[in-house]
Amino acid sequence: MSSSGQQSPEPPTAPGPKVAFVYADELSQYQLSPEHPLRPIRLRHMQELMQSSGLLDLPNVSRPVPRPATRAEIESGHDPEYVSIVEAISNGAIAPGKGEFGLGTPDNPTRPGMYDTTALCVGTVLVAGELVVSGEADIGFAPAGGVHHHAMRRHASGFGVFNDAVIAMNMMVDAGLRVAYVDIDCHHGDGVQAGHYDSDRVLTISIHESGQWLFPGTGHVQETGSGDGAGYSVNVPLAPYTQDAGWHAAFDAVIPDLVRAFNPDVLFTQLGIDTHFQDPLTHLSLTTQGFNLAVDKLRKLASEIGKWVAVGGGGYDLSAVARAWTMALATMANFDLPDDVPESFTSLAGDSLGGDSLGGARKFADAPPPPNEHRHLAEIQQHNSQTLDEVRSLIFPKFGL
Ligand SMILES: [Zn+2]
């Protein structure tokens, strides 16, 4: 208060980027089957941690209400016959067939309501994309999306039914935009690559554990696109047990320069956190802080481009998912999180997150993972440096690098 009795102006605050966080809590209730490793409750824990950390009340974070994707939008990425089959199974009109559409398998069990829930999941990504394309938001984050990145035009795969990233990027391409897609999930983003394999309007880059060791068995450097899309599919397969430093060395060597050379209108990122060292399905060894450093690098790239849509992805350690995506939203919103997770999450972690997920859960950042007992560091480095050499020789000349 000044001596004149007039109220002092509020101190200026740096205006953070406008972030649209698009999520529907009903997506956290959609359990594929009792024993399925994709436990959608991970989204509930994530949202609760974001809320208790104050992120969802920030003035620069909006929470638009999502809508389901329309049939026409879904068919922009999928064969109409397959879409009809998903709908009929979902309604109970027919039983899942054996094989042809990839439905009714252990990875992709069917259940009532599958169509509507998946359409809503796709809709969260479309709303995030629409707000970014229109300029109403600088960043759109739809964390329930991305997990469908294996879904193909005519079949379900790897927990994915309708490929939200393919569908949302189709919308952007139809609007005349060029999109750089960066997929940091531990698995190759094969469905997204296939959805845009012939296109020079979408550059897809996937950095992942090599298909030599992990599902879906693809994502080799030699998969570079076809037709007009030749050179616009980029793969960076890494050795199992690669840790933060090796992963970031590969990221830095390939991704920023290629995205800048492509000069997109939109950056679209898939932020799977199954790269985490505690993830039960995979073998890369990243920490939450290693993951968030990648998000921060993507944020800097996105700020040069002006438009950023981010989706979630894989992630099967519940504590890592909640902490990593909360850290990601804080990075997007330019908000400093404290070191410690809120007390409410710590008690939750001891309750429903399971004993396997408790290590390091008192803090957002992990303690360093245990020393690598599986592979010699030199062996990992040799594999990864060979990958980078191949990317440089096969892809970089196309972009004048
Ligand atoms: Zn994955």
Side-chain angles (χ1 to χ4, degrees):
M1 198 70 77
S2 71
S3 58
S4 67
Q6 291 178 327
Q7 198 166 357
S8 303
E10 289 285 313
T13 52
K18 289 179 288 181
V19 183
F21 175 75
V22 193
Y23 172 69
D25 190 55
E26 59 203 272
L27 296 172
S28 75
Q29 302 304 305
Y30 185 75
Q31 182 74 37
L32 288 164
S33 67
E35 64 286 348
H36 201 283
L38 177 59
R39 289 178 285 175
I41 197 68
R42 69 194 188 133
L43 297 169
R44 167 77 59 81
H45 295 320
M46 169 206 74
Q47 187 198 27
E48 287 172 350
L49 185 54
M50 290 171 171
Q51 184 76 60
S52 59
S53 301
L55 287 169
L56 300 184
D57 298 320
L58 291 174
N60 62 325
V61 174
S62 63
R63 300 175 65 185
V65 177
R67 61 172 176 83
T70 66
R71 172 103 188 191
E73 286 165 339
I74 293 169
E75 288 184 0
S76 80
H78 295 279
D79 189 297
E81 185 188 6
Y82 168 69
V83 179
S84 294
I85 291 287
V86 173
E87 189 170 36
I89 293 171
S90 178
N91 294 341
I94 59 169
K98 296 247 185 286
E100 184 187 359
F101 298 103
L103 293 160
T105 64
D107 270 8
N108 286 94
T110 60
R111 55 163 284 180
M114 175 173 63
Y115 181 95
D116 290 339
T117 308
T118 314
L120 179 60
C121 178
V122 175
T124 65
V125 181
L126 284 167
V127 167
E130 286 160 358
L131 292 168
V132 168
V133 168
S134 71
E136 291 170 75
D138 304 305
I139 303 168
F141 183 24
V147 76
H148 295 277
H149 70 153
H150 300 300
M152 295 289 176
R153 186 162 182 82
R154 267 181 71 83
H155 65 94
S157 176
F159 318 159
V161 177
F162 296 147
N163 199 312
D164 54 271
V166 168
I167 293 165
M169 291 197 290
N170 283 338
M171 176 269 288
M172 293 170 193
V173 169
D174 287 347
L177 303 173
R178 297 165 70 254
V179 188
Y181 172 82
V182 178
D183 185 322
I184 67 170
D185 194 278
C186 202
H187 300 88
H188 174 223
D190 58 340
V192 183
Q193 174 178 291
H196 296 280
Y197 206 59
D198 298 328
S199 172
D200 60 0
R201 309 286 297 172
V202 176
L203 170 70
T204 65
I205 307 175
S206 179
I207 178 169
H208 47 260
E209 179 178 342
S210 170
Q212 276 181 264
W213 293 280
L214 189 68
F215 179 89
T218 53
H220 305 293
V221 180
Q222 293 73 18
E223 299 162 30
T224 59
S226 62
D228 288 346
Y232 292 90
S233 289
V234 182
N235 288 291
V236 188
L238 301 177
Y241 310 110
T242 299
Q243 297 189 335
D244 287 348
W247 191 94
H248 276 281
F251 181 102
D252 293 345
V254 172
I255 291 174
D257 286 348
L258 274 182
V259 170
R260 288 191 181 105
F262 181 66
N263 193 24
D265 301 300
V266 184
L267 180 65
F268 192 116
T269 62
Q270 196 271 19
L271 304 179
I273 176 59
D274 45 6
T275 49
H276 192 263
F277 70 94
Q278 287 182 313
D279 195 278
L281 299 191
T282 62
H283 319 100
L284 293 185
S285 291
L286 268 62
T287 61
T288 53
Q289 60 270 35
F291 166 86
N292 194 43
L293 178 59
V295 175
D296 193 52
K297 289 175 179 177
L298 293 166
R299 179 189 65 77
K300 287 174 182 147
L301 263 181
S303 69
E304 297 170 22
I305 297 163
K307 295 185 185 300
W308 180 15
V309 178
V311 294
Y316 308 97
D317 179 276
L318 297 183
S319 171
V321 170
R323 289 180 294 125
W325 289 348
T326 298
M327 293 162 84
L329 179 59
T331 298
M332 293 171 192
N334 195 24
F335 180 80
D336 280 331
L337 285 172
D339 291 341
D340 293 341
V341 295
E343 191 69 33
S344 57
F345 183 74
T346 310
S347 56
L348 185 70
D351 179 15
S352 62
L353 292 189
D356 58 323
S357 304
L358 282 175
R362 301 275 183 274
K363 295 184 183 298
F364 282 102
D366 290 307
N372 194 333
E373 296 167 2
H374 304 278
R375 275 176 164 247
H376 293 299
L377 190 59
E379 202 181 335
I380 294 170
Q381 285 173 337
Q382 188 189 357
H383 179 281
N384 294 350
S385 76
Q386 187 182 337
T387 288
L388 296 178
D389 286 346
E390 289 173 1
V391 172
R392 285 191 193 98
S393 77
L394 276 173
I395 300 288
F396 277 24
K398 173 95 186 174
F399 292 88
L401 297 170

